């Protein structure tokens, strides 16, 4: 994510809730126990669930402008990781469930807390068995306005909606195991009146129109964290092409932003060119398609939604995304999307590298040396708020603090100086390759950097990411 520099207006908090207290297990389930109602992330105890691993989400969603609402069916393919008497999904807001089946049979469910959908299948699910969940539901999805973290989830726009889900929000639109550690592939089947365009993550897989409604399909074939799932519905101009190395590149611009055709083409070309530049540093681009969507959503940030970032330009109509911002969001495709932190506390691994990519971009295309970017940032006075949080554990409400971004980028540069050019070049390519489609922690990163460099790096990381205060050089 990259926020536009302006204080976000908080409206209301709808996403937090106490940890669900489970009811006693059913008597019939002696050897089968309930899955945990959270994934164990200290920042977001309700997010995610335990006891199963999702392999695929199949999201079928029809948007009706007359009601601003949706009719949807989400199918989930999962595997039990314990003997399950019941399990939870995250599902948030006013959508009403009309049917819920597990393995094709009607299952009991209840909604508890702010976001728990507790499902009891007719029979227990044996460890390692594969199972399906199908949930049919409808209503007007509600966005999340978090006082500290801003707006996410389903964002109604003038002519449709945009779904952006970091750190949470997916559960406002589909039932989900909403923690980055449970990555899955996705299929989106999106229906809207034919005058509207529907977009989502990944590869375009065809469309058809019937009776004035158009259905289009999108596929994300590489594992994706739910926070990176995205869809956009509205009046868009779409440009399809390929990057120099042949990756399909689909960009779209909301007509309400009045972006000229020339600027729209520039946006697409820069996306491809910057991606090629970053691939020369970080290794092969990790997904089977790319692009970007310029939206008029009013959320005040751009987000690295997998394979196709979203750029909110509501406050800058008539302009295309800045190339430095494109570099930030495309860098996330390696750092954040393909390799995703195990815990939200480690988000500096995303933002530090994405911010560093902005410095790399400035050096390559604007002649500003990375060292100069570092020096300017490091010159921030020692009593500035930048130096206060612990970069690798900033706290739930400071997930998007400058310590995560700017100090994160400075940490990357300090590491580069410590291990030298050759090892640094190897590291920034080897890390996303080694952890492609996976999750990793700050400790994993430190061990990896030590292995490549043969250097003991604990002191450096203690100083830069585990200690408050301005580090001495
Ligand atoms: Zn970012």
């Amino acid at each position: 994510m990259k926020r536009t520099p302006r204080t976000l207006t908080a409206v209301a908090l709808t996403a937090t809730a106490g940890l669900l207290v489970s009811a006693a297990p059913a008597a019939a389930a002696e050897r089968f126990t309930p899955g945990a109602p959270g994934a164990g992330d200290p920042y977001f105890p309700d997010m995610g669930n335990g006891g199963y691993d999702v392999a695929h989400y199949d999201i079928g969603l029809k948007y009706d402008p007359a009601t601003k609402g949706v009719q949807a069916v989400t199918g989930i393919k999962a595997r039990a990781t314990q003997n399950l008497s019941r399990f939870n999904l995250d599902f948030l807001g006013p959508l009403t469930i009309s049917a819920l089946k597990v393995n094709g049979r009607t299952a009991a469910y209840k909604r508890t807390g702010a976001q728990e959908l507790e499902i009891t299948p007719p029979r227990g699910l044996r460890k390692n068995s594969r199972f399906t969940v199908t949930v049919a539901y409808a209503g007007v999805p509600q966005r999340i306005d978090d006082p500290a973290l801003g707006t996410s989830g389903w964002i109604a726009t003038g002519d449709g909606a945009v779904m952006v889900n970091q750190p949470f929000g997916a559960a406002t639109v589909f039932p989900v195991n909403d923690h980055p550690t449970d990555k899955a592939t996705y299929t989106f089947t999106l229906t809207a009146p034919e005058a509207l365009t529907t977009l989502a993550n990944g590869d375009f897989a065809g469309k058809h129109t019937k009776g004035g409604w158009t259905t289009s399909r999108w596929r994300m074939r590489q594992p994706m964290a739910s926070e990176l799932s995205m869809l956009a519905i509205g009046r868009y101009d779409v440009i399809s092409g390929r990057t120099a190395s042949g990756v399909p590149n689909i960009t779209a611009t909301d007509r309400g932003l009045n972006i000229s055709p020339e600027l729209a083409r520039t946006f697409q070309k820069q996306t491809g060119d910057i991606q090629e530049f970053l691939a020369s540093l970080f290794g092969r681009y990790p997904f089977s398609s790319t692009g970007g969507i310029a939206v008029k959503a009013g959320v005040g940030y751009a987000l690295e939604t997998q394979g196709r970032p979203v750029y909110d330009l509501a406050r800058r109509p008539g302009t295309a995304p800045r190339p430095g911002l494109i570099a930030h969001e495309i860098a996330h495709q390696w750092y954040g999307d393909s390799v995703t932190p195990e815990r939200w506390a480690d988000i500096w691994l995303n933002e530090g590298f994405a911010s560093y990519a902005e410095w790399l971009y400035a050096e390559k295309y604007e002649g500003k040396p990375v060292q100069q970017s570092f020096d300017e940032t490091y010159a921030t006075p020692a009593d500035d708020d930048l130096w206060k949080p612990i970069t690798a554990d900033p706290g739930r409400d400071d997930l998007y603090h400058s310590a995560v971004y700017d100090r994160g980028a400075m940490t990357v540069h300090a590491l580069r100086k410590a291990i030298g050019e050759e090892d640094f070049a190897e590291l920034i390519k080897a890390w996303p390759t080694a952890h492609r489609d996976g999750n990793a922690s700050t400790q994993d990163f430190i061990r990896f950097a030590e292995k490549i460099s043969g250097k003991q790096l604990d002191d450096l990381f203690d100083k830069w990411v585990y200690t408050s205060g301005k580090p001495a050089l």
Side-chain angles (χ1 to χ4, degrees):
M1 181 188 284
K2 179 85 180 180
R3 280 181 173 173
T4 49
R6 178 180 178 276
T7 311
L8 286 160
T9 332
V11 181
L13 170 64
T14 58
T16 56
L19 189 65
L20 172 71
V21 179
S22 300
E30 280 164 51
R31 289 156 43 249
F32 289 71
T33 52
D41 195 308
Y43 287 13
F44 304 101
D46 290 341
M47 285 184 70
N49 304 285
Y52 64 93
D53 178 33
V54 177
H56 184 76
Y57 292 93
D58 186 349
I59 298 167
L61 185 145
K62 181 180 184 180
Y63 171 74
D64 186 349
T67 62
K68 302 245 172 214
V70 302
Q71 279 183 294
V73 178
T74 291
I76 297 171
K77 288 181 183 162
R79 183 179 59 84
T81 56
Q82 68 180 64
N83 283 346
L84 279 174
S85 58
R86 63 164 201 257
F87 60 94
N88 285 22
L89 287 163
D90 299 302
F91 197 42
L92 170 65
L95 297 176
T96 305
I97 295 172
S98 57
L100 194 153
K101 291 182 177 180
V102 175
N103 288 333
R105 298 173 64 185
T106 297
Y109 65 89
K110 81 179 165 194
R111 298 179 72 172
T112 61
Q115 68 176 70
E116 298 302 324
L117 170 58
E118 189 183 295
I119 299 168
T120 306
R123 327 167 47 153
L125 301 166
R126 195 165 292 282
K127 182 177 178 179
N128 289 325
S129 67
R130 291 173 197 285
F131 63 97
T132 61
V133 187
T134 310
V135 187
Y137 54 96
V140 181
Q142 186 184 328
R143 69 190 218 173
I144 292 169
D145 290 294
D146 184 275
L149 302 175
T151 301
S152 61
W154 177 270
I155 317 297
T157 59
D159 55 10
V162 177
M163 179 182 82
V164 281
N165 296 331
Q166 193 184 76
F168 36 51
T172 66
V173 185
F174 60 100
V176 54
N177 191 25
D178 199 12
H179 192 268
T181 43
D182 192 1
K183 294 187 175 189
T185 53
Y186 283 69
T187 310
F188 300 88
T189 306
L190 305 174
T191 302
E194 63 179 325
L196 301 183
T197 299
T198 55
L199 300 135
N201 308 85
D203 308 331
F204 178 61
K207 66 175 178 179
H208 68 269
T209 299
K210 194 176 159 189
W213 295 81
T214 297
T215 298
S216 61
R217 283 170 67 80
W218 297 85
R219 265 194 213 119
M220 175 43 72
R221 293 186 288 166
Q222 292 79 35
M224 174 164 77
S226 48
E227 53 121 347
L228 301 168
S229 60
M230 171 276 292
L231 59 83
I233 302 167
R235 291 173 204 278
Y236 287 89
D237 291 315
V238 178
I239 304 179
S240 295
R242 284 180 186 271
T243 68
S245 60
V247 177
N249 179 8
I250 299 175
T251 52
T253 49
D254 188 320
R255 285 184 196 162
L257 291 169
N258 296 314
I259 297 172
S260 70
E262 190 191 349
L263 270 182
R265 282 192 297 273
T266 301
F267 170 39
Q268 199 212 23
K269 183 174 186 318
Q270 285 175 334
T271 295
D273 291 351
I274 289 168
Q275 184 164 302
E276 298 291 328
F277 165 58
L278 293 176
S280 74
L281 302 173
F282 301 154
R284 180 171 66 79
Y285 175 71
F287 305 118
S288 49
S289 54
T290 188
I293 307 182
V295 303
K296 191 178 178 184
V299 295
Y301 57 77
L303 185 62
E304 63 270 24
T305 44
Q306 186 160 309
R308 189 161 297 114
V310 165
Y311 304 87
D312 177 32
L313 296 174
R315 291 172 197 150
R316 300 175 59 230
T319 68
R322 290 183 298 105
L325 182 59
I326 296 173
H328 180 109
E329 303 306 339
I330 296 294
H332 271 310
Q333 304 304 313
W334 288 264
Y335 286 91
D337 294 10
S338 182
V339 187
T340 310
E342 280 178 2
R343 291 286 172 263
W344 282 104
D346 287 325
I347 192 173
W348 82 274
L349 287 170
N350 303 2
E351 302 303 346
F353 275 92
S355 301
Y356 198 69
E358 293 182 61
W359 295 358
L360 293 167
Y361 173 86
E363 181 169 86
K364 165 91 174 169
Y365 292 95
E366 293 165 356
K368 180 180 181 180
V370 168
Q371 184 65 44
Q372 189 186 333
S373 293
F374 174 91
D375 292 342
E376 286 172 10
T377 314
Y378 185 76
T380 307
D383 61 354
D384 191 274
D385 197 44
L386 163 64
W387 307 110
K388 288 191 181 112
I390 307 290
T391 303
D393 191 7
R396 185 255 189 224
D397 287 354
D398 282 329
L399 211 56
Y400 302 125
H401 195 282
S402 57
V404 169
Y405 290 74
D406 298 341
R407 188 168 176 163
M410 285 188 281
T411 302
V412 174
H413 195 63
L415 174 64
R416 179 178 179 171
K417 304 284 273 188
I419 67 175
E421 289 300 296
E422 207 172 304
D423 286 346
F424 182 75
E426 187 187 338
L427 171 66
I428 61 175
K429 195 171 276 194
W431 171 256
T433 307
H435 292 278
R436 178 164 291 167
D437 297 335
N439 297 84
S441 67
T442 298
Q443 284 300 315
D444 293 333
F445 181 72
I446 295 170
R447 281 194 292 273
F448 196 85
E450 287 182 336
K451 203 171 118 193
I452 282 185
S453 67
K455 288 196 164 69
Q456 167 57 246
L457 297 169
D458 282 338
D459 287 350
L460 179 120
F461 282 100
D462 278 350
K463 187 164 90 166
W464 277 97
V465 304
Y466 288 119
T467 309
S468 176
K470 184 173 180 174
L473 290 182

